[in-house]
Amino acid sequence: MALVCISSDHSIYAGVLRIQTRSYNVTLTKHRSPPHFTLASLACEPSLRRLLRNHHDQLTSALAHTTTHNQAFEVITHVVKTISKASPAFMPTPQPLNVGALQQLTAIGWKHVIDASADLTHLQCELQDATGRTHSFSLELSDLQHIQWQHHLPIEATLPSSDVTIANTMSLFQQHVDQLQPFWGAMDDLQSAFVVLDPNPLLTNHRHSRISMTQSCSIYLDINPDDPLAKPLAQVFGPEVAAKQRQQCWDSFLNWDTKRSLATNLKACFSAEAFELPVAASSMDTGVDKAECAVCYSFLLESKSPTEVCNNAACGRVYHNACLLEWLTALPDSRRSFQTVFGECPFCQGAMSVEIGIEPS
């Protein structure tokens, strides 16, 4: 099969190399120097690249005598035919090359494409915003009239139903990234001002943040990407009495100011002391461990947060009711009185007790 010119300056040609029942997608680029074709002129799929891996000298020598794309194509065809007779196992049949996608990418450039399928029906792309954050998205190009994408943005972003090209898809993604800069700035502000328990690490599609508080509490914030400085939906988790008091404080707070940062508003609502770490910064504790159950090392257990707190002020570890109950009942020296089990804190061995509740189903 002859090559097809896919560039306006007649420097790039693409086609399918067929050897018996096998096919390979290839692209040849004619450079100004040297005047003949070289290995650098050839772009092909991984299976063909593997086949040619140990034959670079043979191919380089043959290409040195070519000055046109048709000559180079004939040389490559001959070399591959010779190799394939000895290496039939390396001859998978790819899907036909998506020439339309190749033409569009040649026109706009490949700088945002970090990976692509051999037939160019799938592209993995990424770009950086003004702050250096990297944002990735993928494109499905099996039908160029109906391009589909997957992205890691915290919003529902859809493509138009018609006139969609790779170029305007990338442009639309860039617009969304630019519009979301205030949101990501607000999320970074929370990360720098508080001990953030979740998510860890923070990804660009995350729109929630769970912040550690004193008294073994934490507050879960759902930030609106379209209005990141507005008062977010929030729920306080922790021991029942402390969590209830802080939830009431949040619900009744009316002085939220959208001209201030999220961190400033949070400290105005609860006071800055509400977010201090429960232990001295010089200790080995990070504040993160203190908010999780010290038995199962998680925060939520079947949608329930830790409610049992060690009475030892130097410890202050928290536990799920079910976790602590299972731990204490397994101790040989624990004792039970009516609906209460008495034993030792799993962390500091201080005295602890837990009420026997309804076991999770």
Side-chain angles (χ1 to χ4, degrees):
M1 176 182 176
L3 297 178
V4 177
C5 179
I6 60 173
S7 65
S8 59
D9 61 354
H10 299 282
S11 64
I12 304 177
Y13 295 82
V16 179
L17 174 63
R18 292 193 172 92
I19 306 296
Q20 297 177 354
T21 60
R22 309 294 183 178
S23 300
Y24 300 95
N25 300 315
V26 297
T27 303
L28 283 173
T29 303
K30 186 62 166 31
H31 301 289
R32 292 184 178 181
S33 179
H36 60 268
F37 285 86
T38 66
L39 279 177
S41 308
L42 175 64
C44 58
E45 58 195 71
S47 56
L48 180 56
R49 196 179 304 118
R50 288 195 298 269
L51 185 64
L52 296 171
R53 181 183 304 160
N54 297 323
H55 303 273
H56 286 180
D57 292 342
Q58 177 186 356
L59 190 57
T60 299
S61 176
L63 286 173
H65 303 285
T66 63
T67 56
T68 69
H69 62 277
N70 284 328
Q71 290 175 342
F73 188 68
E74 290 176 0
V75 164
I76 296 169
T77 301
H78 174 72
V79 172
V80 174
K81 280 183 178 179
T82 303
I83 298 172
S84 63
K85 292 178 181 178
S87 307
F90 286 94
M91 304 289 287
T93 303
Q95 296 295 321
L97 178 68
N98 190 335
V99 177
L102 182 59
Q103 290 174 333
Q104 290 189 37
L105 287 168
T106 301
I108 66 176
W110 293 74
K111 67 177 181 178
H112 295 310
V113 179
I114 60 173
D115 194 15
S117 60
D119 56 359
L120 293 183
T121 58
H122 176 82
L123 302 179
Q124 186 68 34
C125 309
E126 70 177 23
L127 56 83
Q128 284 191 334
D129 62 23
T131 66
R133 299 186 192 89
T134 299
H135 306 274
S136 62
F137 61 100
S138 60
L139 299 179
E140 296 293 338
L141 309 171
S142 54
D143 180 0
L144 285 178
Q145 302 302 316
H146 300 89
I147 297 177
Q148 297 180 334
W149 71 352
Q150 293 182 334
H151 57 76
H152 300 285
L153 299 176
I155 58 173
E156 293 291 335
T158 58
L159 292 173
S161 57
S162 61
D163 299 325
V164 181
T165 65
I166 298 175
N168 60 31
T169 298
M170 290 186 175
S171 177
L172 181 61
F173 186 81
Q174 181 70 65
Q175 291 176 27
H176 286 308
V177 167
D178 292 342
Q179 293 168 358
L180 286 166
Q181 291 305 305
F183 167 75
W184 287 314
M187 297 297 284
D188 288 343
D189 177 52
L190 294 178
Q191 289 277 328
S192 61
F194 304 111
V195 176
V196 176
L197 306 173
D198 181 60
N200 185 21
L202 175 67
L203 303 179
T204 54
N205 62 326
H206 290 144
R207 53 176 291 168
H208 72 275
S209 185
R210 185 164 64 88
I211 298 170
S212 178
M213 304 180 78
T214 55
Q215 296 181 304
S216 302
C217 291
S218 66
I219 183 168
Y220 181 97
L221 304 173
D222 185 7
I223 315 298
N224 181 359
D226 296 323
D227 193 6
L229 297 184
K231 185 178 181 181
L233 297 175
Q235 184 174 357
V236 180
F237 295 94
E240 183 176 359
V241 174
K244 184 177 180 180
Q245 290 176 345
R246 292 185 171 181
Q247 187 68 55
Q248 291 174 344
C249 181
W250 173 266
D251 294 339
S252 61
F253 183 66
L254 302 177
N255 294 326
W256 191 275
D257 187 350
T258 56
K259 296 180 180 180
R260 300 186 300 190
S261 68
L262 292 177
T264 301
N265 278 305
L266 282 166
K267 292 175 181 177
C269 176
F270 295 107
S271 80
E273 289 73 19
F275 297 97
E276 288 185 346
L277 297 183
V279 293
S282 60
S283 78
M284 294 300 293
D285 295 305
T286 64
V288 176
D289 295 336
K290 299 278 284 190
E292 315 293 348
C293 173
V295 171
C296 71
Y297 300 104
S298 62
F299 182 72
L300 292 179
L301 177 65
E302 298 185 359
S303 301
K304 296 181 179 179
S305 59
T307 57
E308 309 297 329
V309 185
C310 177
N311 297 322
N312 180 0
C315 175
R317 290 307 191 281
V318 294
Y319 304 92
H320 296 111
N321 179 278
C323 292
L324 184 58
L325 179 61
E326 182 177 358
W327 179 279
L328 293 184
T329 53
L331 295 177
D333 54 351
S334 64
R335 60 186 179 86
R336 174 174 174 175
S337 176
F338 299 101
Q339 293 300 105
T340 304
V341 176
F342 298 87
E344 295 180 346
C345 170
F347 194 85
C348 72
Q349 287 75 54
M352 280 200 75
S353 64
V354 61
E355 297 291 329
I356 299 176
I358 299 177
E359 298 246 346
S361 58

